[in-house]
């Protein structure tokens, strides 16, 4: 996938701020510090487009990145930060639920989990949340360079079992070694094409 241009269109807090140009969206979500921003940057071939928060658990905006003027990557707020206050958790829930209920162009969610660890209860809740709203989900396993390739299938099995994930595949990515991006991009293009959108890849 050739990335010609990327634009942060808006950091939204409520539904009337969402882009309304009809372009399809895929959203990325995961626990704080799972490597979500690094994975987005890796997929887009950028170093610091999606910024890693200096205050984990504080970011409450939904960031809409327009790619090649054809579609959006939507960077959803991280969850699971231990020091997050009760009020912050409530606000996080409001922001997420409003987006899931009101985005007309969301086609798919990528749920990011750390390949080295069993998913947490927050991850299980997020997966269940997406299923509840009938939004297709694919799991991306981050930090795949931290284990051997021979250990992938065991890690994938643990992830599937904990999440009750029935998706086609778990997709590994390494922001450090820049691996896994081609397969994820092929999947994204297929998602759009299956929904009637033809994306230029060159």
């Amino acid at each position: 996938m050739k990335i010609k241009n990327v634009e942060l269109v808006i950091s939204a807090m409520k539904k009337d701020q969402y882009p309304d140009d009809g372009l399809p969206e895929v959203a990325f979500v995961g626990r704080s510090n799972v490597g979500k921003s690094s994975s987005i940057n890796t997929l887009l071939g950028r170093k610091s487009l999606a910024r890693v928060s200096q205050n984990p658990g504080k970011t409450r905006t939904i960031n809409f990145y327009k790619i090649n003027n054809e579609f959006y990557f939507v960077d959803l707020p991280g969850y699971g930060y231990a020091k997050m206050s009760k009020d912050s958790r409530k606000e996080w829930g409001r922001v997420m639920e409003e987006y899931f209920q009101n985005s007309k162009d969301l086609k798919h969610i990528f749920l990011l989990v750390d390949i080295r660890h069993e998913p947490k209860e927050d991850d299980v809740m997020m997966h269940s949340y997406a299923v509840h709203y009938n939004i297709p989900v694919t799991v991306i396993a981050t930090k795949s360079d931290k284990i051997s390739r021979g250990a992938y299938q065991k890690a994938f099995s643990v992830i599937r079992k904990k999440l009750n994930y029935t998706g086609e595949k778990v997709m590994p990515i390494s922001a450090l070694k820049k691996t896994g991006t081609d397969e994820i991009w092929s999947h994204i293009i297929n998602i759009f094409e299956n929904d009637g959108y033809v994306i230029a890849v060159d």
Side-chain angles (χ1 to χ4, degrees):
M1 180 71 189
K2 187 174 182 179
I3 307 300
K4 299 176 182 177
N5 56 75
V6 181
E7 176 189 2
L8 174 58
V9 173
I10 193 168
S11 295
M13 287 290 291
K14 51 188 178 179
K15 62 183 179 181
D16 60 4
Q17 296 176 321
Y18 303 161
D20 193 28
D21 50 14
L23 296 180
E25 302 167 4
V26 290
F28 294 79
V29 67
R31 291 175 59 83
S32 297
N33 297 324
V34 75
K36 178 163 56 70
S37 295
S38 297
S39 295
I40 291 173
N41 288 331
T42 299
L43 285 165
L44 296 177
R46 303 297 193 271
K47 290 185 177 181
S48 58
L49 181 72
R51 296 184 179 276
V52 179
S53 175
Q54 298 302 309
N55 297 294
K58 296 291 186 182
T59 303
R60 288 290 153 266
T61 57
I62 298 176
N63 296 322
F64 290 83
Y65 296 96
K66 186 184 287 187
I67 317 300
N68 294 350
N69 295 312
E70 292 186 293
F71 58 92
Y72 286 96
F73 272 14
V74 183
D75 185 5
L76 298 174
Y79 56 84
Y81 184 57
K83 295 182 180 179
M84 187 186 295
S85 69
K86 185 176 180 180
D87 286 345
S88 294
R89 291 178 187 274
K90 184 176 181 180
E91 176 65 7
W92 177 89
R94 182 199 67 77
V95 170
M96 298 290 280
E97 187 167 8
E98 186 172 62
Y99 175 65
F100 288 155
Q101 288 182 332
N102 293 283
S103 175
K104 302 184 296 292
D105 301 305
L106 176 60
K107 306 302 177 184
H108 207 90
I109 290 174
F110 287 96
L111 172 59
L112 278 65
V113 299
D114 191 324
I115 198 170
R116 300 170 296 177
H117 308 299
E118 180 181 86
K120 308 296 186 184
E121 290 305 320
D122 287 332
D123 298 314
V124 176
M125 180 186 71
M126 176 51 63
H127 181 261
S128 298
Y129 210 39
V131 171
H132 172 75
Y133 284 105
N134 296 312
I135 305 168
V137 181
T138 296
V139 174
I140 292 178
T142 65
K143 307 180 183 181
S144 63
D145 56 283
K146 301 298 184 183
I147 67 173
S148 69
R149 292 186 66 87
Y152 279 13
Q153 292 307 316
K154 181 178 179 180
F156 295 165
S157 179
V158 170
I159 290 168
R160 283 184 173 279
K161 183 177 180 180
K162 182 66 176 182
L163 295 178
N164 192 27
Y165 174 62
T166 59
E168 180 181 352
K169 60 183 70 176
V170 176
M171 310 188 79
I173 189 171
S174 168
L176 180 64
K177 294 189 174 181
K178 315 299 182 187
T179 56
T181 57
D182 288 346
E183 186 178 17
I184 294 171
W185 270 118
S186 293
H187 190 45
I188 291 170
I189 291 165
N190 286 337
I191 288 166
F192 289 147
E193 289 182 346
N194 289 339
D195 208 59
Y197 294 91
V198 178
I199 303 299
V201 297
D202 298 320

